[in-house]
Amino acid sequence: MARLKVGVLISGRGSNLQALIDAAADPAYPAEIAVVISNRRDAAGLARAAAAGIPHIVAPETDRAAFAAAADRALRDAGVGLVALAGFMRLLDEGFVAAWTDRLVNIHPSLLPAFPGLHAQRQALAAGVKFSGCTVHFVRAAVDTGPIIAQAVVAVADGDDEARLADRILAAEHRLYPLAVRLFAEGRLRIVGNQVAVAGGAAPALAALNPSETLT
Ligand code: GAR
């Protein structure tokens, strides 16, 4: 069966892009990365696309509408059926979000709706939460909003700093994004209002406590 073509938008390091590239290296994975688009010429993720032989472009950073038009054209030329934002750190043009609605997803390093926007891990530490994590969601016009597809929980440890927490959340992101894209590609997601029903999805049986009940 033909695999779903995914376009990935990046601004920087591209480690989530790499997780998607690695997942798609398995021929049984139902999606492939067809094009990578960066708003920054110096994004390290561009080299990851090049190394994987994936077409990649830099779209003009000058204004939002110009970026949206260039990205839209590249995505359509590549026959993309899903757009995945992976560390794309720029607000998207509203027309672009509307044109790709329900086919546009994002990953964010918090349990949304907590801590949207920049420095989500710093916000989590400042709020003193015991758990944070990451979220993959369909994109709507307002920043970091939209129906939630999947989340992963990461425990905050005593003495965590922003870098340590970010690293552990990132490891969870690298598992969560390929899972969410697979669910989309398999046609298992149904959006009902602000909720996403996952066909065949199962909730974990156990809740976690932080700190653990088994204190030392
Ligand atoms: C990731 O932690 C991603 O969740 C975050 O930027 C990082 C990109 O890393 N995105 C946002 O904060 C979007 N609101 P990467 O370039 O290595 O994938």
Side-chain angles (χ1 to χ4, degrees):
M1 216 179 90
R3 305 207 288 172
L4 174 78
K5 289 184 166 45
V6 179
V8 182
L9 269 57
I10 61 168
S11 296
R13 181 178 54 185
S15 71
N16 278 292
L17 165 66
Q18 189 67 55
L20 293 171
I21 291 172
D22 292 348
D26 178 353
Y29 190 75
E32 62 185 301
I33 313 306
V35 64
V36 172
I37 303 168
S38 173
N39 64 316
R40 295 184 58 116
R41 200 164 292 284
D42 60 355
L46 289 167
R48 299 179 190 269
I54 298 168
H56 48 285
I57 64 162
V58 179
E61 234 193 308
T62 40
D63 79 273
R64 199 170 290 167
F67 175 84
D72 190 78
R73 200 172 322 112
L75 292 163
R76 291 184 196 283
D77 287 352
V80 159
L82 175 69
V83 181
L85 308 182
F88 183 73
M89 302 308 273
R90 205 157 186 263
L91 285 178
L92 279 168
D93 179 80
E94 275 191 28
F96 182 93
V97 174
W100 289 91
T101 194
D102 297 350
R103 295 178 301 155
L104 175 60
V105 295
N106 179 45
I107 189 158
H108 183 77
S110 75
L111 295 173
L112 290 173
F115 316 132
L118 293 175
H119 309 302
Q121 303 91 342
R122 193 184 303 172
Q123 293 184 56
L125 289 173
V129 295
K130 296 291 188 192
F131 288 105
S132 190
C134 49
T135 302
V136 178
H137 63 98
F138 287 106
V139 172
R140 297 292 182 256
V143 173
D144 297 326
T145 64
I148 290 170
I149 299 167
Q151 292 184 308
V153 172
V154 173
V156 178
D158 283 349
D160 257 351
D161 61 16
E162 193 178 343
R164 269 202 300 268
L165 180 60
D167 277 353
R168 292 208 312 288
I169 291 176
L170 197 62
E173 292 183 46
H174 296 162
R175 295 170 59 206
L176 192 70
Y177 218 176
L179 167 69
V181 169
R182 176 162 72 79
L183 293 174
F184 181 94
E186 290 173 345
R188 289 162 67 178
L189 304 179
R190 193 165 47 89
I191 304 174
V192 185
N194 200 38
Q195 299 189 344
V196 179
V198 182
L206 283 177
L209 303 186
N210 184 7
S212 161
E213 283 170 297
T214 51
L215 294 170
T216 50

